[in-house]
Amino acid sequence: MRIGFIGGGNMASSIIGGLVASGFAADQIWASDPNTESLTKLREVAAVHIGSDNHALISAVDIVILAVKPQIMKIVATDIAASVQDQQPLIITIAAGVTSSSLDGWLGGNTAIVRCMPNTPALVRSGATGLFANDKVSATQREQAEQILQAVGLALWVDSEAQLDAVTALSGSGPAYFFLVMEAMQAKGVDLGLSQEVANQLTLQTALGAAQMAITSDVDAAELRRRVTSPKGTTERAINILQAGGLEALFGQALDGARLRAEELALELDGE
């Protein structure tokens, strides 16, 4: 398959890097961006074809990844609509809040579209991505889209487009939740007498170790927590304080808020 990226920012660079690292040929990748600096940076990642003509890119590829900001998606999509109708490539979009129906309309209709919601750890090839395909996407195209996003981490399909809002709330925004917890632990570590460097390193390694244990374990997170919480021990005391403070309910409210904001953004962008 020949893949083209419209938009040459960080996420495009990450996916290209992941594809090439997994064995995909760089000469089968095209990238278009009006910013020559972005294109130069992409060439440092891999020897891909670069340019500023979106129409020429579409004529050269089978799959077009729209890696542009949601706010300019309508402008980009309407501009390339004629070329998309002529070539009928698979369209993959990583823009949050832009529904497949809106994008299909801007592209002229009858377009095979996969919406995906990667998160920022994709930049270090440890991402978590939710994918949704409209009814124009073939089985082969689904496999291709999944292969592309697996180059930067985990890629899972959801059953309905509405579920992408839940993906946004959980994994899309999720890294920031963990960063906030790390920030609080690091600050308290210093308050308890540790140096900043020691507090930072212990926190980060603890987060990494906990995630690795959860990934490789055959039991769920709740059971892992129970196993490391000794009766009447230090961990139990800390967990009891967190639960008494309503941690689970607060996280639930936070994810509900993120999901609602994702829905609002979709309505705002659809109305543009």
Side-chain angles (χ1 to χ4, degrees), residues 74-265:
K74 183 176 182 180
I75 296 171
V76 173
T78 53
D79 177 69
I80 64 173
S83 294
V84 169
Q85 290 301 311
D86 286 342
Q87 301 296 324
Q88 292 292 308
L90 169 65
I91 300 293
I92 299 176
T93 169
I94 62 174
V98 179
T99 64
S100 61
S101 59
S102 291
L103 184 56
D104 186 48
W106 299 336
L107 291 171
N110 202 37
T111 310
I113 296 172
V114 170
R115 274 191 67 192
C116 62
M117 177 50 59
N119 60 9
T120 52
L123 299 176
V124 292
R125 298 173 201 163
S126 297
T129 302
L131 302 98
F132 170 78
N134 71 1
D135 57 9
K136 301 299 181 184
V137 177
S138 69
T140 297
Q141 289 172 326
R142 283 176 65 98
E143 292 175 3
Q144 291 171 333
E146 183 175 339
Q147 179 184 348
I148 291 168
L149 272 302
Q150 282 177 340
V152 291
L154 178 73
L156 300 174
W157 292 95
V158 295
D159 297 326
S160 69
E161 188 164 8
Q163 289 178 334
L164 285 180
D165 293 331
V167 171
T168 299
L170 183 64
S171 58
S173 299
Y177 314 152
F178 288 100
F179 295 150
L180 180 60
V181 171
M182 292 178 199
E183 182 183 351
M185 290 176 65
Q186 289 169 341
K188 191 59 185 178
V190 172
D191 185 55
L192 292 173
L194 299 175
S195 70
Q196 187 73 63
E197 181 181 1
V198 168
N200 289 354
Q201 290 192 29
L202 288 176
T203 297
L204 297 178
Q205 185 62 33
T206 299
L208 175 63
Q212 192 62 34
M213 283 185 67
I215 289 170
T216 59
S217 177
D218 58 356
V219 298
D220 62 16
E223 177 59 26
L224 287 173
R225 173 181 56 80
R226 285 189 287 269
R227 290 181 181 183
V228 300
T229 306
S230 302
K232 299 182 180 180
T234 59
T235 305
E236 183 183 68
R237 174 73 64 86
I239 293 295
N240 287 344
I241 292 170
L242 290 170
Q243 292 181 326
L247 180 69
E248 291 99 330
L250 192 59
F251 259 96
Q253 293 170 26
L255 267 70
D256 282 339
R259 180 189 56 79
L260 178 60
R261 183 55 184 149
E263 293 175 353
E264 292 170 352
L265 286 170

Side-chain angles (χ1 to χ4, degrees), residues 2 22 37 73 131 151 164 231 239 255 268 270:
R2 297 166 299 171
S22 65
E37 183 178 349
M73 180 64 79
L131 302 98
L164 285 180
I239 293 295
L255 267 70
E268 291 171 10
D270 283 350

